[in-house]
Amino acid sequence: MFKRKILEKYKPRNVFTPLIIVILSCSSLIIINYLTIKILSASRAYVNGESHYSKGQKDAARHLITYLYTKDPIQWKLFNEELSVPKGDGIARIGLTNNDDINTIENGLRAGRNHEKDLDDMVWLFRHFHAVPFLAKAINEWKKADYLIDQLASIGNEANKKISGNTSKSDDRQKILQRINIITDKLTINQRNFSDALGEGTRLIKTYLLFTNIFFTLMIIGSVSLYYSVMVNRLRRSKQETDDKNRNLIIANKELDKFVYSASHDLRSPISSLKGLIEIVKLEDDLDQIRDYLDLMHQSLDKQDQFIREIIDYSRNKRKKITVASVSLNKVIDEIIAQHLYIKGTNEIAIKKELSVDEVYSDGLRLKIILNNLLSNAIKYTDESKEKKYISIKTYTKGEFYKIEIEDNGIGINNEYHVKIFEMFFVTNNNKKGSGLGLYLVKEAVENLNGSISVNSKMNIGSKFIVTIPKQYEAQL
């Protein structure tokens, strides 16, 4: 009983904890992967937007140069159309930085020839992650490029003014061309840095994603393994408990069959004896002989009374759960001795008590069953041939155990019966007074307390029974 309680104390208290971890890990994986995909998608959109930005700027520069030499107004128009692509992205950047109206931002991105389905992701990434190092670096390059785009627009306006006024000279064209090339070279560097920053960020994100997935996957595998282990252990424990219960049921059924047979015999035997003695008494006129017959009747009734008490103890020991409380051994022993004083010859027995331990924490009912049966046997089986009869009762502690010793100088028990005396209804050849149930009850009560009992006995010398009970019950109070 005590071992089972200890095991229950250490078994997992919540089998659903691993499942909760699995659910949380899976949810985290889903959210993290979704956000990662969204970030990578938005980064891809920015890289794609940068290609439109770069192409628009280069085409605008090409049309401007052509316009310088051909003075074709179509080239001026194409210059402005192509330059509107990086200008649109610049408007979107300023709007995102200043947290402007979403329509203004999206119109700027549309002007930058970004795909309609990418606009939400691009706005979301900028607003939520603009302070992240890789994106902050890319935005800074974007800002520098927008400044150069403004310079390119100014150069274009200056060139158009001179061409429109017919004041353009060969030297002016060379200077404007040189300025356009310088700006284009700078923009190329900015655009490359922008793409490199986003590429570095996406590679870093993929690395983090890999490690995150590995971590949560291991969490899921570990939790599932733990849950599986817990369930297998519970199933194994359940199967073990079922097997134990089946074995106990088989033993109980066998004991019940034996109990019913022996109980019916032992209950009827004193009644048959009484009926026989009554018939004899009816025919007897000698008063002394009648008294002898009455003594025999009394013995039969005592035997039946004892047997009924043992049956009651057997039932209570089987049904009642262990109840731990403070028990006074001295008080229990005195009560038992008082109950047996009426038995013939008890007053001739010297009962000695050496109680080093009085108060113990244990089950009072089982202790009474143990002490009552052991003291009852010690009184019942005294050696009438001995002049000095005694019963010695000792209690003490040894390590983590209580010890109870009951010793007598009665008739003793043959060595061959030392193991069998604890079996149900076992009666030795020289034992005509007992039912064979008492020591069985003692052993069962001791085992219920997670203790043990030993016997040392010799014929015509006496017997010593030692009961050992663990102290661990103190921790349950």
Side-chain angles (χ1 to χ4, degrees):
M1 178 68 72
F2 181 73
K3 289 180 179 177
R4 186 161 63 248
K5 289 183 179 180
I6 291 296
L7 288 173
E8 289 174 355
K9 178 180 177 182
Y10 290 102
K11 71 182 182 181
R13 295 183 180 278
N14 192 352
V15 74
F16 294 107
T17 300
L19 285 180
I20 293 171
I21 294 173
V22 169
I23 292 170
L24 292 176
S25 298
C26 290
S27 301
S28 300
L29 269 180
I30 292 170
I31 294 170
I32 290 170
N33 278 279
Y34 169 76
L35 292 175
T36 302
I37 292 170
K38 194 173 176 71
I39 292 170
L40 293 176
S41 176
S43 298
R44 175 202 54 77
Y46 274 110
V47 172
N48 189 54
E50 185 276 328
S51 67
H52 291 301
Y53 186 104
S54 176
K55 186 176 184 304
Q57 171 264 314
K58 286 179 171 58
D59 286 344
R62 179 172 54 82
H63 288 303
L64 180 58
I65 292 169
T66 304
Y67 178 54
L68 282 173
Y69 288 95
T70 64
K71 300 180 182 181
D72 185 356
I74 294 176
Q75 295 299 320
W76 171 248
K77 180 182 178 182
L78 291 173
F79 165 75
N80 286 303
E81 286 180 359
E82 293 300 327
L83 198 62
S84 66
V85 174
K87 279 186 174 181
D89 284 333
I91 291 170
R93 179 187 61 78
I94 293 170
L96 286 166
T97 302
N98 297 331
N99 200 22
D100 290 342
D101 180 66
I102 187 66
N103 291 325
T104 303
I105 297 169
E106 289 184 348
N107 287 333
L109 293 173
R110 289 189 187 98
R113 295 175 183 169
N114 294 285
H115 198 282
E116 186 70 28
K117 292 183 178 179
D118 290 334
L119 301 185
D120 289 339
D121 286 347
M122 295 175 76
V123 172
W124 174 82
L125 181 66
F126 192 105
R127 284 183 168 174
H128 291 89
F129 298 95
H130 62 273
V132 175
F134 82 90
L135 191 56
K137 182 179 179 182
I139 293 170
N140 186 51
E141 294 295 333
W142 187 1
K143 182 179 179 180
K144 291 178 182 178
D146 286 344
Y147 175 73
L148 293 172
I149 292 296
D150 290 338
Q151 286 186 335
L152 184 60
S154 296
I155 293 171
N157 289 329
E158 182 183 336
N160 181 55
K161 185 177 180 181
K162 289 184 178 183
I163 291 171
S164 299
N166 290 321
T167 60
S168 176
K169 297 179 181 180
S170 177
D171 289 343
D172 292 335
R173 286 197 297 270
Q174 284 301 118
K175 289 179 181 179
I176 291 172
L177 180 61
Q178 187 178 7
R179 289 167 64 189
I180 291 171
N181 288 333
I182 291 171
I183 289 173
T184 300
D185 290 342
K186 289 182 178 180
L187 280 168
T188 300
I189 294 171
N190 291 138
Q191 290 155 4
R192 186 185 303 121
N193 290 340
F194 180 88
S195 298
D196 289 345
L198 290 177
E200 180 186 348
T202 54
R203 286 190 294 274
L204 189 62
I205 289 170
K206 286 192 288 186
T207 302
Y208 285 152
L209 178 63
L210 175 63
F211 286 116
T212 302
N213 277 292
I214 291 172
F215 172 76
F216 281 108
T217 301
L218 291 175
M219 285 278 289
I220 292 168
I221 293 172
S223 299
V224 170
S225 300
L226 177 61
Y227 178 77
Y228 175 79
S229 175
V230 170
M231 293 309 296
V232 167
N233 286 335
R234 284 199 166 190
L235 288 173
R236 187 182 293 115
R237 197 158 47 242
S238 177
K239 183 179 181 300
Q240 183 63 43
E241 289 175 356
T242 302
D243 292 343
D244 290 342
K245 287 178 180 178
N246 288 336
R247 281 193 294 269
N248 290 335
L249 282 173
I250 292 170
I251 294 171
N253 285 333
K254 289 181 179 178
E255 288 182 349
L256 183 60
D257 291 341
K258 188 174 182 180
F259 179 81
V260 171
Y261 172 79
S262 298
S264 61
H265 176 270
D266 288 344
L267 283 171
R268 292 184 70 252
S269 179
I271 295 173
S272 299
S273 297
L274 281 173
K275 289 170 70 176
L277 288 170
I278 289 170
E279 292 300 323
I280 293 174
V281 169
K282 288 180 180 180
L283 303 174
E284 185 62 59
D285 294 327
D286 188 344
L287 188 59
D288 291 334
Q289 190 64 45
I290 290 174
R291 287 195 180 95
D292 291 338
Y293 290 143
L294 288 174
D295 286 338
L296 292 174
M297 290 180 188
H298 193 273
Q299 291 176 16
S300 294
L301 288 173
D302 281 344
K303 186 173 182 180
Q304 189 169 37
D305 180 61
Q306 178 192 345
F307 186 67
I308 291 172
R309 289 174 182 272
E310 289 175 346
I311 290 175
I312 292 171
D313 285 344
Y314 174 82
S315 176
R316 293 169 70 190
N317 189 47
K318 284 288 187 183
R319 288 185 297 104
K320 194 172 181 181
K321 294 181 179 180
I322 296 292
T323 303
V324 180
S326 176
V327 181
S328 170
L329 293 177
N330 186 49
K331 184 177 179 181
V332 172
I333 291 168
D334 286 344
E335 287 177 356
I336 293 170
I337 292 172
Q339 291 172 6
H340 289 78
L341 287 176
Y342 72 93
I343 296 176
K344 184 179 179 181
T346 303
N347 58 344
E348 298 176 3
I349 303 172
I351 299 177
K352 299 179 289 184
K353 294 191 298 182
E354 296 180 30
L355 306 184
S356 298
V357 175
D358 178 19
E359 186 180 17
V360 298
Y361 294 98
S362 189
D363 183 276
L365 171 64
R366 269 76 184 184
L367 284 176
K368 287 178 182 178
I369 291 173
I370 293 165
L371 291 168
N372 182 65
N373 281 282
L374 291 178
L375 288 172
S376 176
N377 284 353
I379 294 169
K380 191 187 305 178
Y381 300 113
T382 56
D383 190 344
E384 300 294 340
S385 64
K386 293 176 181 174
E387 183 178 347
K388 294 183 179 180
K389 309 176 186 70
Y390 73 87
I391 296 174
S392 172
I393 306 167
K394 295 181 181 179
T395 64
Y396 57 93
T397 60
K398 187 174 183 180
E400 296 299 317
F401 299 93
Y402 297 124
K403 292 279 190 174
I404 301 173
E405 291 185 7
I406 296 180
E407 183 179 3
D408 63 66
N409 63 340
I411 60 176
I413 306 168
N414 274 329
N415 287 336
E416 59 183 301
Y417 299 137
H418 285 186
V419 178
K420 294 183 178 182
I421 57 174
F422 296 106
E423 296 177 4
M424 181 183 282
F425 296 118
F426 177 80
V427 180
T428 61
N429 293 334
N430 61 332
N431 180 4
K432 303 300 181 182
K433 299 179 181 180
S435 63
L437 193 57
L439 288 178
Y440 169 82
L441 286 172
V442 170
K443 187 172 188 296
E444 193 174 60
V446 170
E447 289 177 349
N448 282 345
L449 297 177
N450 200 33
S452 62
I453 184 170
S454 61
V455 59
N456 183 12
S457 181
K458 292 184 180 180
M459 284 297 296
N460 302 319
I461 294 178
S463 304
K464 179 193 283 188
F465 288 88
I466 303 174
V467 176
T468 303
I469 299 171
K471 288 182 179 179
Q472 289 100 321
Y473 282 103
E474 294 180 20
Q476 299 183 33
L477 292 182

